[in-house]
Amino acid sequence: MKILENKRELDELLAKIRTNGTKIGLIPTMGSIHNGHLSLVENSMKENFFSITSIFVNPTQFNDLKDFKKYPQNKKQDIEKLNTVKCDAVFFPQIEELYPEGIKRKKTISKYRDILCDKFRPGHFDGVTTVVKSLFDIVTPDAVFFGEKDFQQLKIIKELIKKNNLPIQLIDCPSVRSKNGMSLSSRYNNFNTNQEILFNQISLKVNNCVNLLKKQIDINNLKNLNQYLEEDKKIKVDYLEVRDDDELLLTQKNKNARLFISFYIEDIRIIDNFKLY
Ligand code: PAF
């Protein structure tokens, strides 16, 4: 696997591989690579893209400096993990390469906003779209791979591609879940033992709620889960809602519906979504 430490090294590689018409697949990440990321790489490799995983912890998408500083990072382990799936290259962009005009975020996408994560993390998606657009400009991928765990992000990035008329195919990939049924997330590396035990207990309730909602969307199931979560002082719920996956509108019908959930266990934020059809 090629290890690219800056844009110059990326440009040199791109110039070589573009000559024979090879297509580029980009997997943007913030590192702390887990099996969810690896499945995105595998999808890209399967489609015969020259697969580049980018790793950059993007400051402009954090609402809180403390959260940014403690975002888990492990470059050596990330490289080892990406090697196991034979990823072609890993790219570590420099901050000034992604933010040539200074470290600030721009609001360019208004669709799918003011709801779900955007309501609780104002500006977060502006940080995401700013860095993702910059990555797209630098890497010029033919395809990009995003996971459904961050479903609202996926919708917003689709809009970003559409609005800018970018010749990029977005391939969305299903969440990879751990044994407890919850989608994998880099943030869970920060759990201590007690938080992990609590997370596993909560996951049983969440899965139970999902199974009930799959039969019929009854608002009482959401209320019960919400009540169970809020009874614990270590937990704070941001949202627990059923929305359709086309427009992200609230719905009480199962067609195209998903349960969207976000809560904190102390200072660790958990987000997930579950198909209800
Ligand atoms: O999903 C993520 O890991 C990040 O939001 C992304 C897309 C890499 C942008 O920093």
Side-chain angles (χ1 to χ4, degrees), residues 28-30 37 56 58 61 71 128 131-132 146 150 153 157:
T29 79
M30 297 209 297
H37 298 120
F56 177 73
N58 174 33
Q61 69 187 78
Y71 196 84
V128 171
V131 80
V132 166
F146 285 92
D150 298 301
Q153 167 173 284
I157 291 171

Side-chain angles (χ1 to χ4, degrees), residues 80-186:
E80 279 166 14
K81 288 187 182 163
L82 290 168
N83 262 321
T84 64
V85 290
K86 302 192 168 44
C87 182
D88 294 300
V90 56
F91 173 41
F92 296 97
Q94 299 301 306
I95 192 157
E96 60 282 2
E97 295 169 339
L98 290 173
Y99 289 97
E101 291 163 20
I103 305 165
K104 47 183 187 245
R105 54 194 185 196
K106 268 196 258 167
K107 180 165 184 167
T108 53
I109 303 299
S110 309
K111 203 168 173 192
Y112 309 118
R113 302 294 299 264
D114 304 324
I115 54 167
L116 301 171
C117 290
D118 194 40
K119 192 165 153 190
F120 294 91
R121 302 183 73 193
H124 161 73
F125 287 118
D126 299 327
V128 171
T129 48
T130 305
V131 80
V132 166
K133 174 69 170 54
S134 204
L135 274 169
F136 288 177
D137 291 344
I138 293 177
V139 181
T140 60
D142 298 283
V144 288
F145 295 78
F146 285 92
E148 284 188 355
K149 173 185 158 270
D150 298 301
F151 200 81
Q152 189 176 15
Q153 167 173 284
L154 187 78
K155 303 287 285 184
I156 290 176
I157 291 171
K158 275 190 188 160
E159 269 310 290
L160 177 76
I161 292 176
K162 195 164 130 197
K163 192 167 174 199
N164 289 284
N165 275 320
L166 301 174
I168 298 177
Q169 184 189 2
L170 189 150
I171 301 179
D172 43 355
C173 305
S175 291
V176 175
R177 297 184 181 274
S178 59
K179 272 201 230 104
N180 67 12
M182 305 295 278
S183 300
L184 298 177
S185 163
S186 305

